[in-house]
Amino acid sequence: MAESVFRARIRDAGLDGLVVVDSAGTDGWHEGDGADPRTVAVLEAAGFDADHVARRFRTDWFARLDLVIALDRGHQRSLRRLAPTPEDADKVRLLRSYDPLAYDELDVPDPYYGDADGFEECLTMVEAASEGLLAAVRDAVEGRAA
């Protein structure tokens, strides 16, 4: 969900040639599967692309990444443990840390064991945080071009 929303934000901001948006999980449980049908339904109803195939995050990706976004503290801890260096661990940030209205509630809840309302709630959280993330990425990209 976050990948689809943020990819749209990057495209709409005209940064799609400068920023690569991708996603991967911390475990390989659903590797090779498409997105959950409830996720697809919520994304498509909101006008987002829902094309996704699950895969597992790989440690060697840190070398080519400037930023790694986690949706909850558990994923953040897992990703930081995977990081080969302290500098790579510092690249891992919580998505909702970019939403000033999230305060200290920085985890995006896992909606998979609930009903469709949980997926809609997650989309609302992802969209809110994506605005702040876009601002941070835009600043970083402009800083490199200067």
Side-chain angles (χ1 to χ4, degrees):
M1 187 176 284
E3 173 191 4
S4 296
V5 171
F6 197 63
R7 182 173 283 129
R9 296 290 181 263
I10 289 293
R11 184 188 62 242
D12 294 347
L15 299 174
D16 51 341
L18 300 172
V19 177
V20 175
V21 179
D22 211 344
S23 68
T26 56
D27 292 305
W29 298 337
H30 300 286
E31 207 164 1
D33 295 343
D36 184 288
R38 297 167 295 176
T39 298
V40 171
V42 168
L43 284 170
E44 288 179 347
F48 294 103
D49 176 31
D51 186 32
H52 172 77
V53 176
R55 61 194 177 138
R56 188 175 191 168
F57 190 90
R58 293 178 32 171
T59 300
D60 61 322
W61 294 350
F62 276 104
R64 64 178 173 82
L65 300 173
D66 295 314
L67 184 62
V68 177
I69 298 295
L71 295 186
D72 66 41
R73 289 180 180 100
H75 293 141
Q76 182 184 37
R77 283 189 299 274
S78 294
L79 289 163
R80 286 184 171 165
R81 278 194 301 269
L82 285 174
T85 69
E87 293 78 20
D88 288 326
D90 287 343
K91 295 176 183 181
V92 182
R93 302 274 190 269
L94 286 168
L95 176 64
R96 292 198 74 207
S97 69
Y98 293 94
D99 178 358
L101 299 179
Y103 304 107
D104 64 344
E105 295 184 30
L106 299 180
D107 287 352
V108 175
D110 184 350
Y112 292 97
Y113 299 105
D115 57 23
D117 289 347
F119 288 83
E120 291 170 9
E121 177 186 10
C122 286
L123 179 59
T124 299
M125 291 177 180
V126 167
E127 286 184 294
S130 290
E131 295 305 316
L133 177 57
L134 176 62
V137 168
R138 182 182 283 126
D139 287 346
V141 169
E142 289 174 359
R144 288 184 187 168

mmCIF file of all heavy atoms in Angstrom, residues 12-61:
data_model
loop_
_atom_site.group_PDB
_atom_site.id
_atom_site.type_symbol
_atom_site.label_atom_id
_atom_site.label_comp_id
_atom_site.label_asym_id
_atom_site.label_seq_id
_atom_site.Cartn_x
_atom_site.Cartn_y
_atom_site.Cartn_z
ATOM 1 N N ASP A 12 3.485 12.457 -9.278
ATOM 2 C CA ASP A 12 2.751 13.719 -9.323
ATOM 3 C C ASP A 12 3.659 14.920 -9.057
ATOM 4 O O ASP A 12 3.397 16.016 -9.551
ATOM 5 C CB ASP A 12 1.594 13.711 -8.330
ATOM 6 C CG ASP A 12 0.511 12.700 -8.683
ATOM 7 O OD1 ASP A 12 0.513 12.160 -9.823
ATOM 8 O OD2 ASP A 12 -0.339 12.434 -7.806
ATOM 9 N N ALA A 13 4.727 14.722 -8.295
ATOM 10 C CA ALA A 13 5.669 15.798 -7.983
ATOM 11 C C ALA A 13 6.726 15.969 -9.074
ATOM 12 O O ALA A 13 7.570 16.863 -8.978
ATOM 13 C CB ALA A 13 6.349 15.524 -6.639
ATOM 14 N N GLY A 14 6.693 15.099 -10.090
ATOM 15 C CA GLY A 14 7.671 15.184 -11.171
ATOM 16 C C GLY A 14 9.041 14.671 -10.790
ATOM 17 O O GLY A 14 10.039 15.005 -11.427
ATOM 18 N N LEU A 15 9.104 13.826 -9.770
ATOM 19 C CA LEU A 15 10.386 13.301 -9.300
ATOM 20 C C LEU A 15 10.637 11.854 -9.706
ATOM 21 O O LEU A 15 11.641 11.269 -9.306
ATOM 22 C CB LEU A 15 10.458 13.405 -7.770
ATOM 23 C CG LEU A 15 10.371 14.806 -7.173
ATOM 24 C CD1 LEU A 15 10.311 14.732 -5.658
ATOM 25 C CD2 LEU A 15 11.532 15.665 -7.640
ATOM 26 N N ASP A 16 9.744 11.289 -10.512
ATOM 27 C CA ASP A 16 9.858 9.863 -10.814
ATOM 28 C C ASP A 16 11.131 9.500 -11.564
ATOM 29 O O ASP A 16 11.580 8.369 -11.491
ATOM 30 C CB ASP A 16 8.613 9.322 -11.517
ATOM 31 C CG ASP A 16 8.176 10.120 -12.715
ATOM 32 O OD1 ASP A 16 8.580 11.284 -12.844
ATOM 33 O OD2 ASP A 16 7.414 9.579 -13.527
ATOM 34 N N GLY A 17 11.777 10.424 -12.233
ATOM 35 C CA GLY A 17 13.052 10.128 -12.876
ATOM 36 C C GLY A 17 14.226 10.225 -11.928
ATOM 37 O O GLY A 17 15.331 9.787 -12.246
ATOM 38 N N LEU A 18 13.989 10.768 -10.729
ATOM 39 C CA LEU A 18 15.059 10.986 -9.761
ATOM 40 C C LEU A 18 14.975 10.069 -8.545
ATOM 41 O O LEU A 18 15.962 9.892 -7.845
ATOM 42 C CB LEU A 18 15.018 12.440 -9.271
ATOM 43 C CG LEU A 18 15.198 13.512 -10.336
ATOM 44 C CD1 LEU A 18 14.934 14.891 -9.747
ATOM 45 C CD2 LEU A 18 16.595 13.436 -10.919
ATOM 46 N N VAL A 19 13.795 9.543 -8.288
ATOM 47 C CA VAL A 19 13.554 8.755 -7.076
ATOM 48 C C VAL A 19 12.963 7.399 -7.471
ATOM 49 O O VAL A 19 12.034 7.336 -8.260
ATOM 50 C CB VAL A 19 12.568 9.494 -6.137
ATOM 51 C CG1 VAL A 19 12.238 8.655 -4.911
ATOM 52 C CG2 VAL A 19 13.131 10.846 -5.732
ATOM 53 N N VAL A 20 13.504 6.353 -6.902
ATOM 54 C CA VAL A 20 12.984 5.010 -7.123
ATOM 55 C C VAL A 20 12.209 4.590 -5.877
ATOM 56 O O VAL A 20 12.719 4.699 -4.759
ATOM 57 C CB VAL A 20 14.121 4.000 -7.399
ATOM 58 C CG1 VAL A 20 13.585 2.588 -7.510
ATOM 59 C CG2 VAL A 20 14.883 4.396 -8.656
ATOM 60 N N VAL A 21 10.988 4.139 -6.069
ATOM 61 C CA VAL A 21 10.141 3.674 -4.971
ATOM 62 C C VAL A 21 9.915 2.183 -5.173
ATOM 63 O O VAL A 21 9.490 1.748 -6.237
ATOM 64 C CB VAL A 21 8.786 4.416 -4.953
ATOM 65 C CG1 VAL A 21 7.902 3.901 -3.831
ATOM 66 C CG2 VAL A 21 9.002 5.913 -4.842
ATOM 67 N N ASP A 22 10.195 1.413 -4.148
ATOM 68 C CA ASP A 22 10.046 -0.031 -4.222
ATOM 69 C C ASP A 22 9.660 -0.534 -2.837
ATOM 70 O O ASP A 22 9.725 0.205 -1.863
ATOM 71 C CB ASP A 22 11.371 -0.652 -4.656
ATOM 72 C CG ASP A 22 11.191 -1.924 -5.444
ATOM 73 O OD1 ASP A 22 10.087 -2.510 -5.414
ATOM 74 O OD2 ASP A 22 12.152 -2.356 -6.080
ATOM 75 N N SER A 23 9.259 -1.786 -2.749
ATOM 76 C CA SER A 23 8.931 -2.328 -1.431
ATOM 77 C C SER A 23 9.329 -3.787 -1.330
ATOM 78 O O SER A 23 9.457 -4.491 -2.331
ATOM 79 C CB SER A 23 7.436 -2.165 -1.135
ATOM 80 O OG SER A 23 6.673 -2.990 -1.975
ATOM 81 N N ALA A 24 9.509 -4.191 -0.094
ATOM 82 C CA ALA A 24 9.851 -5.577 0.223
ATOM 83 C C ALA A 24 9.510 -5.814 1.685
ATOM 84 O O ALA A 24 9.491 -4.875 2.487
ATOM 85 C CB ALA A 24 11.330 -5.844 -0.020
ATOM 86 N N GLY A 25 9.250 -7.052 2.023
ATOM 87 C CA GLY A 25 8.928 -7.402 3.393
ATOM 88 C C GLY A 25 10.148 -7.834 4.170
ATOM 89 O O GLY A 25 11.216 -8.062 3.614
ATOM 90 N N THR A 26 9.982 -7.948 5.474
ATOM 91 C CA THR A 26 11.088 -8.383 6.322
ATOM 92 C C THR A 26 11.154 -9.900 6.431
ATOM 93 O O THR A 26 12.146 -10.439 6.898
ATOM 94 C CB THR A 26 10.973 -7.771 7.733
ATOM 95 O OG1 THR A 26 9.702 -8.101 8.281
ATOM 96 C CG2 THR A 26 11.143 -6.260 7.679
ATOM 97 N N ASP A 27 10.099 -10.580 6.016
ATOM 98 C CA ASP A 27 10.063 -12.040 5.995
ATOM 99 C C ASP A 27 9.627 -12.490 4.606
ATOM 100 O O ASP A 27 9.082 -11.717 3.838
ATOM 101 C CB ASP A 27 9.078 -12.576 7.035
ATOM 102 C CG ASP A 27 9.549 -12.331 8.455
ATOM 103 O OD1 ASP A 27 10.678 -12.755 8.776
ATOM 104 O OD2 ASP A 27 8.804 -11.715 9.235
ATOM 105 N N GLY A 28 9.819 -13.754 4.302
ATOM 106 C CA GLY A 28 9.489 -14.257 2.979
ATOM 107 C C GLY A 28 8.161 -14.984 2.891
ATOM 108 O O GLY A 28 7.932 -15.733 1.958
ATOM 109 N N TRP A 29 7.252 -14.745 3.849
ATOM 110 C CA TRP A 29 6.003 -15.498 3.917
ATOM 111 C C TRP A 29 5.188 -15.461 2.632
ATOM 112 O O TRP A 29 4.644 -16.453 2.215
ATOM 113 C CB TRP A 29 5.119 -15.001 5.045
ATOM 114 C CG TRP A 29 5.695 -15.145 6.407
ATOM 115 C CD1 TRP A 29 6.670 -16.010 6.805
ATOM 116 C CD2 TRP A 29 5.342 -14.397 7.557
ATOM 117 N NE1 TRP A 29 6.945 -15.841 8.130
ATOM 118 C CE2 TRP A 29 6.129 -14.860 8.627
ATOM 119 C CE3 TRP A 29 4.436 -13.378 7.784
ATOM 120 C CZ2 TRP A 29 6.042 -14.343 9.901
ATOM 121 C CZ3 TRP A 29 4.342 -12.870 9.056
ATOM 122 C CH2 TRP A 29 5.141 -13.351 10.106
ATOM 123 N N HIS A 30 5.068 -14.307 2.013
ATOM 124 C CA HIS A 30 4.199 -14.167 0.841
ATOM 125 C C HIS A 30 4.986 -13.894 -0.433
ATOM 126 O O HIS A 30 4.425 -13.421 -1.416
ATOM 127 C CB HIS A 30 3.187 -13.041 1.073
ATOM 128 C CG HIS A 30 2.307 -13.287 2.246
ATOM 129 N ND1 HIS A 30 1.293 -14.210 2.229
ATOM 130 C CD2 HIS A 30 2.311 -12.740 3.495
ATOM 131 C CE1 HIS A 30 0.691 -14.218 3.413
ATOM 132 N NE2 HIS A 30 1.301 -13.348 4.197
ATOM 133 N N GLU A 31 6.274 -14.208 -0.401
ATOM 134 C CA GLU A 31 7.137 -13.930 -1.535
ATOM 135 C C GLU A 31 6.557 -14.514 -2.821
ATOM 136 O O GLU A 31 6.130 -15.671 -2.857
ATOM 137 C CB GLU A 31 8.523 -14.516 -1.267
ATOM 138 C CG GLU A 31 9.623 -13.809 -1.967
ATOM 139 C CD GLU A 31 10.987 -14.140 -1.394
ATOM 140 O OE1 GLU A 31 11.097 -14.947 -0.457
ATOM 141 O OE2 GLU A 31 11.944 -13.567 -1.913
ATOM 142 N N GLY A 32 6.493 -13.679 -3.850
ATOM 143 C CA GLY A 32 5.955 -14.093 -5.140
ATOM 144 C C GLY A 32 4.456 -13.886 -5.296
ATOM 145 O O GLY A 32 3.927 -13.982 -6.396
ATOM 146 N N ASP A 33 3.768 -13.591 -4.203
ATOM 147 C CA ASP A 33 2.318 -13.364 -4.250
ATOM 148 C C ASP A 33 2.013 -11.911 -4.591
ATOM 149 O O ASP A 33 2.784 -11.009 -4.284
ATOM 150 C CB ASP A 33 1.671 -13.663 -2.890
ATOM 151 C CG ASP A 33 1.766 -15.130 -2.492
ATOM 152 O OD1 ASP A 33 2.037 -15.977 -3.370
ATOM 153 O OD2 ASP A 33 1.569 -15.409 -1.292
ATOM 154 N N GLY A 34 0.848 -11.700 -5.165
ATOM 155 C CA GLY A 34 0.353 -10.346 -5.384
ATOM 156 C C GLY A 34 -0.176 -9.776 -4.082
ATOM 157 O O GLY A 34 -0.224 -10.455 -3.059
ATOM 158 N N ALA A 35 -0.588 -8.526 -4.140
ATOM 159 C CA ALA A 35 -1.122 -7.860 -2.952
ATOM 160 C C ALA A 35 -2.426 -8.519 -2.511
ATOM 161 O O ALA A 35 -3.160 -9.083 -3.328
ATOM 162 C CB ALA A 35 -1.357 -6.379 -3.248
ATOM 163 N N ASP A 36 -2.714 -8.424 -1.230
ATOM 164 C CA ASP A 36 -3.963 -8.916 -0.661
ATOM 165 C C ASP A 36 -5.130 -8.261 -1.418
ATOM 166 O O ASP A 36 -5.101 -7.060 -1.674
ATOM 167 C CB ASP A 36 -4.009 -8.533 0.821
ATOM 168 C CG ASP A 36 -5.225 -9.080 1.526
ATOM 169 O OD1 ASP A 36 -6.335 -8.553 1.264
ATOM 170 O OD2 ASP A 36 -5.076 -9.992 2.341
ATOM 171 N N PRO A 37 -6.156 -9.034 -1.775
ATOM 172 C CA PRO A 37 -7.291 -8.472 -2.520
ATOM 173 C C PRO A 37 -7.958 -7.283 -1.822
ATOM 174 O O PRO A 37 -8.462 -6.375 -2.483
ATOM 175 C CB PRO A 37 -8.264 -9.643 -2.648
ATOM 176 C CG PRO A 37 -7.443 -10.862 -2.468
ATOM 177 C CD PRO A 37 -6.293 -10.478 -1.581
ATOM 178 N N ARG A 38 -7.943 -7.267 -0.493
ATOM 179 C CA ARG A 38 -8.520 -6.127 0.223
ATOM 180 C C ARG A 38 -7.670 -4.875 0.039
ATOM 181 O O ARG A 38 -8.197 -3.769 -0.112
ATOM 182 C CB ARG A 38 -8.704 -6.470 1.701
ATOM 183 C CG ARG A 38 -9.708 -7.621 1.900
ATOM 184 C CD ARG A 38 -9.660 -8.169 3.292
ATOM 185 N NE ARG A 38 -8.351 -8.800 3.525
ATOM 186 C CZ ARG A 38 -7.950 -9.318 4.679
ATOM 187 N NH1 ARG A 38 -8.746 -9.266 5.735
ATOM 188 N NH2 ARG A 38 -6.772 -9.879 4.806
ATOM 189 N N THR A 39 -6.366 -5.054 0.011
ATOM 190 C CA THR A 39 -5.468 -3.926 -0.266
ATOM 191 C C THR A 39 -5.719 -3.398 -1.665
ATOM 192 O O THR A 39 -5.821 -2.189 -1.871
ATOM 193 C CB THR A 39 -3.993 -4.365 -0.124
ATOM 194 O OG1 THR A 39 -3.745 -4.784 1.215
ATOM 195 C CG2 THR A 39 -3.044 -3.248 -0.497
ATOM 196 N N VAL A 40 -5.799 -4.309 -2.615
ATOM 197 C CA VAL A 40 -6.039 -3.923 -4.010
ATOM 198 C C VAL A 40 -7.346 -3.148 -4.128
ATOM 199 O O VAL A 40 -7.399 -2.087 -4.757
ATOM 200 C CB VAL A 40 -6.051 -5.162 -4.930
ATOM 201 C CG1 VAL A 40 -6.506 -4.803 -6.338
ATOM 202 C CG2 VAL A 40 -4.675 -5.827 -4.951
ATOM 203 N N ALA A 41 -8.392 -3.633 -3.496
ATOM 204 C CA ALA A 41 -9.697 -2.972 -3.577
ATOM 205 C C ALA A 41 -9.648 -1.558 -2.997
ATOM 206 O O ALA A 41 -10.171 -0.612 -3.601
ATOM 207 C CB ALA A 41 -10.755 -3.806 -2.853
ATOM 208 N N VAL A 42 -9.008 -1.396 -1.839
ATOM 209 C CA VAL A 42 -8.925 -0.084 -1.203
ATOM 210 C C VAL A 42 -8.066 0.867 -2.038
ATOM 211 O O VAL A 42 -8.431 2.028 -2.246
ATOM 212 C CB VAL A 42 -8.390 -0.214 0.244
ATOM 213 C CG1 VAL A 42 -8.016 1.132 0.836
ATOM 214 C CG2 VAL A 42 -9.425 -0.910 1.119
ATOM 215 N N LEU A 43 -6.934 0.381 -2.538
ATOM 216 C CA LEU A 43 -6.079 1.232 -3.362
ATOM 217 C C LEU A 43 -6.778 1.657 -4.646
ATOM 218 O O LEU A 43 -6.759 2.841 -5.016
ATOM 219 C CB LEU A 43 -4.773 0.509 -3.699
ATOM 220 C CG LEU A 43 -3.745 0.428 -2.591
ATOM 221 C CD1 LEU A 43 -2.614 -0.514 -2.984
ATOM 222 C CD2 LEU A 43 -3.202 1.806 -2.247
ATOM 223 N N GLU A 44 -7.386 0.710 -5.335
ATOM 224 C CA GLU A 44 -8.048 1.037 -6.602
ATOM 225 C C GLU A 44 -9.230 1.977 -6.394
ATOM 226 O O GLU A 44 -9.443 2.892 -7.191
ATOM 227 C CB GLU A 44 -8.458 -0.235 -7.328
ATOM 228 C CG GLU A 44 -7.257 -0.979 -7.900
ATOM 229 C CD GLU A 44 -7.604 -2.265 -8.617
ATOM 230 O OE1 GLU A 44 -8.758 -2.754 -8.499
ATOM 231 O OE2 GLU A 44 -6.704 -2.809 -9.302
ATOM 232 N N ALA A 45 -9.976 1.793 -5.311
ATOM 233 C CA ALA A 45 -11.102 2.689 -5.016
ATOM 234 C C ALA A 45 -10.620 4.120 -4.775
ATOM 235 O O ALA A 45 -11.335 5.077 -5.063
ATOM 236 C CB ALA A 45 -11.883 2.182 -3.812
ATOM 237 N N ALA A 46 -9.395 4.258 -4.286
ATOM 238 C CA ALA A 46 -8.823 5.580 -4.022
ATOM 239 C C ALA A 46 -8.049 6.123 -5.224
ATOM 240 O O ALA A 46 -7.467 7.209 -5.144
ATOM 241 C CB ALA A 46 -7.918 5.515 -2.795
ATOM 242 N N GLY A 47 -8.005 5.355 -6.309
ATOM 243 C CA GLY A 47 -7.341 5.822 -7.530
ATOM 244 C C GLY A 47 -5.868 5.497 -7.628
ATOM 245 O O GLY A 47 -5.160 6.074 -8.457
ATOM 246 N N PHE A 48 -5.386 4.556 -6.829
ATOM 247 C CA PHE A 48 -3.972 4.177 -6.873
ATOM 248 C C PHE A 48 -3.778 2.874 -7.635
ATOM 249 O O PHE A 48 -4.653 2.009 -7.642
ATOM 250 C CB PHE A 48 -3.407 4.005 -5.451
ATOM 251 C CG PHE A 48 -3.359 5.271 -4.666
ATOM 252 C CD1 PHE A 48 -4.302 5.529 -3.688
ATOM 253 C CD2 PHE A 48 -2.368 6.209 -4.906
ATOM 254 C CE1 PHE A 48 -4.270 6.702 -2.953
ATOM 255 C CE2 PHE A 48 -2.330 7.395 -4.176
ATOM 256 C CZ PHE A 48 -3.283 7.629 -3.200
ATOM 257 N N ASP A 49 -2.607 2.739 -8.227
ATOM 258 C CA ASP A 49 -2.203 1.496 -8.877
ATOM 259 C C ASP A 49 -1.955 0.452 -7.784
ATOM 260 O O ASP A 49 -1.387 0.768 -6.740
ATOM 261 C CB ASP A 49 -0.922 1.738 -9.678
ATOM 262 C CG ASP A 49 -0.368 0.480 -10.308
ATOM 263 O OD1 ASP A 49 -1.149 -0.423 -10.646
ATOM 264 O OD2 ASP A 49 0.872 0.402 -10.465
ATOM 265 N N ALA A 50 -2.374 -0.760 -8.024
ATOM 266 C CA ALA A 50 -2.232 -1.803 -7.004
ATOM 267 C C ALA A 50 -1.385 -2.973 -7.498
ATOM 268 O O ALA A 50 -1.483 -4.073 -6.978
ATOM 269 C CB ALA A 50 -3.608 -2.284 -6.558
ATOM 270 N N ASP A 51 -0.543 -2.741 -8.493
ATOM 271 C CA ASP A 51 0.306 -3.798 -9.033
ATOM 272 C C ASP A 51 1.489 -4.028 -8.100
ATOM 273 O O ASP A 51 2.279 -3.114 -7.856
ATOM 274 C CB ASP A 51 0.793 -3.389 -10.424
ATOM 275 C CG ASP A 51 1.557 -4.488 -11.116
ATOM 276 O OD1 ASP A 51 1.236 -5.675 -10.882
ATOM 277 O OD2 ASP A 51 2.486 -4.174 -11.886
ATOM 278 N N HIS A 52 1.593 -5.224 -7.552
ATOM 279 C CA HIS A 52 2.640 -5.506 -6.563
ATOM 280 C C HIS A 52 2.884 -7.012 -6.498
ATOM 281 O O HIS A 52 1.945 -7.798 -6.555
ATOM 282 C CB HIS A 52 2.206 -5.007 -5.186
ATOM 283 C CG HIS A 52 3.113 -5.424 -4.078
ATOM 284 N ND1 HIS A 52 4.326 -4.828 -3.839
ATOM 285 C CD2 HIS A 52 2.996 -6.389 -3.146
ATOM 286 C CE1 HIS A 52 4.902 -5.404 -2.811
ATOM 287 N NE2 HIS A 52 4.115 -6.351 -2.363
ATOM 288 N N VAL A 53 4.145 -7.389 -6.357
ATOM 289 C CA VAL A 53 4.521 -8.774 -6.092
ATOM 290 C C VAL A 53 5.448 -8.762 -4.887
ATOM 291 O O VAL A 53 6.453 -8.052 -4.870
ATOM 292 C CB VAL A 53 5.221 -9.420 -7.309
ATOM 293 C CG1 VAL A 53 5.700 -10.823 -6.975
ATOM 294 C CG2 VAL A 53 4.288 -9.447 -8.518
ATOM 295 N N ALA A 54 5.098 -9.527 -3.883
ATOM 296 C CA ALA A 54 5.852 -9.541 -2.626
ATOM 297 C C ALA A 54 7.233 -10.171 -2.811
ATOM 298 O O ALA A 54 7.400 -11.117 -3.571
ATOM 299 C CB ALA A 54 5.073 -10.306 -1.561
ATOM 300 N N ARG A 55 8.180 -9.619 -2.084
ATOM 301 C CA ARG A 55 9.527 -10.173 -2.028
ATOM 302 C C ARG A 55 10.139 -9.796 -0.695
ATOM 303 O O ARG A 55 9.597 -8.972 0.040
ATOM 304 C CB ARG A 55 10.385 -9.674 -3.186
ATOM 305 C CG ARG A 55 10.555 -8.195 -3.188
ATOM 306 C CD ARG A 55 11.118 -7.722 -4.512
ATOM 307 N NE ARG A 55 11.204 -6.278 -4.481
ATOM 308 C CZ ARG A 55 12.224 -5.600 -4.939
ATOM 309 N NH1 ARG A 55 13.226 -6.224 -5.495
ATOM 310 N NH2 ARG A 55 12.241 -4.302 -4.866
ATOM 311 N N ARG A 56 11.261 -10.408 -0.398
ATOM 312 C CA ARG A 56 11.919 -10.198 0.894
ATOM 313 C C ARG A 56 13.080 -9.214 0.750
ATOM 314 O O ARG A 56 13.846 -9.286 -0.212
ATOM 315 C CB ARG A 56 12.435 -11.536 1.406
ATOM 316 C CG ARG A 56 12.965 -11.475 2.800
ATOM 317 C CD ARG A 56 13.349 -12.838 3.279
ATOM 318 N NE ARG A 56 13.620 -12.805 4.699
ATOM 319 C CZ ARG A 56 13.749 -13.868 5.436
ATOM 320 N NH1 ARG A 56 13.606 -15.059 4.914
ATOM 321 N NH2 ARG A 56 14.002 -13.745 6.718
ATOM 322 N N PHE A 57 13.206 -8.320 1.718
ATOM 323 C CA PHE A 57 14.288 -7.337 1.722
ATOM 324 C C PHE A 57 15.623 -8.060 1.855
ATOM 325 O O PHE A 57 15.767 -8.975 2.662
ATOM 326 C CB PHE A 57 14.100 -6.351 2.881
ATOM 327 C CG PHE A 57 15.022 -5.175 2.819
ATOM 328 C CD1 PHE A 57 14.638 -4.027 2.150
ATOM 329 C CD2 PHE A 57 16.266 -5.222 3.412
ATOM 330 C CE1 PHE A 57 15.494 -2.931 2.083
ATOM 331 C CE2 PHE A 57 17.126 -4.141 3.348
ATOM 332 C CZ PHE A 57 16.744 -2.988 2.675
ATOM 333 N N ARG A 58 16.599 -7.585 1.094
ATOM 334 C CA ARG A 58 17.934 -8.197 1.116
ATOM 335 C C ARG A 58 18.959 -7.212 1.682
ATOM 336 O O ARG A 58 18.958 -6.032 1.343
ATOM 337 C CB ARG A 58 18.343 -8.607 -0.294
ATOM 338 C CG ARG A 58 17.488 -9.726 -0.838
ATOM 339 C CD ARG A 58 17.846 -10.103 -2.236
ATOM 340 N NE ARG A 58 19.268 -9.917 -2.490
ATOM 341 C CZ ARG A 58 19.870 -10.338 -3.574
ATOM 342 N NH1 ARG A 58 19.211 -10.981 -4.503
ATOM 343 N NH2 ARG A 58 21.168 -10.116 -3.761
ATOM 344 N N THR A 59 19.834 -7.723 2.501
ATOM 345 C CA THR A 59 20.857 -6.915 3.150
ATOM 346 C C THR A 59 21.701 -6.135 2.153
ATOM 347 O O THR A 59 22.033 -4.969 2.391
ATOM 348 C CB THR A 59 21.761 -7.811 4.020
ATOM 349 O OG1 THR A 59 20.958 -8.445 5.010
ATOM 350 C CG2 THR A 59 22.851 -7.011 4.703
ATOM 351 N N ASP A 60 22.033 -6.736 1.022
ATOM 352 C CA ASP A 60 22.912 -6.058 0.068
ATOM 353 C C ASP A 60 22.247 -4.844 -0.595
ATOM 354 O O ASP A 60 22.919 -4.027 -1.214
ATOM 355 C CB ASP A 60 23.444 -7.033 -0.986
ATOM 356 C CG ASP A 60 22.373 -7.681 -1.829
ATOM 357 O OD1 ASP A 60 21.293 -8.019 -1.308
ATOM 358 O OD2 ASP A 60 22.627 -7.877 -3.033
ATOM 359 N N TRP A 61 20.946 -4.654 -0.431
ATOM 360 C CA TRP A 61 20.273 -3.484 -0.994
ATOM 361 C C TRP A 61 20.661 -2.195 -0.277
ATOM 362 O O TRP A 61 20.575 -1.107 -0.849
ATOM 363 C CB TRP A 61 18.757 -3.650 -0.941
ATOM 364 C CG TRP A 61 18.224 -4.735 -1.817
ATOM 365 C CD1 TRP A 61 18.894 -5.453 -2.771
ATOM 366 C CD2 TRP A 61 16.897 -5.243 -1.812
ATOM 367 N NE1 TRP A 61 18.060 -6.374 -3.360
ATOM 368 C CE2 TRP A 61 16.823 -6.268 -2.782
ATOM 369 C CE3 TRP A 61 15.759 -4.948 -1.081
ATOM 370 C CZ2 TRP A 61 15.670 -6.973 -3.046
ATOM 371 C CZ3 TRP A 61 14.610 -5.653 -1.335
ATOM 372 C CH2 TRP A 61 14.561 -6.655 -2.307
#
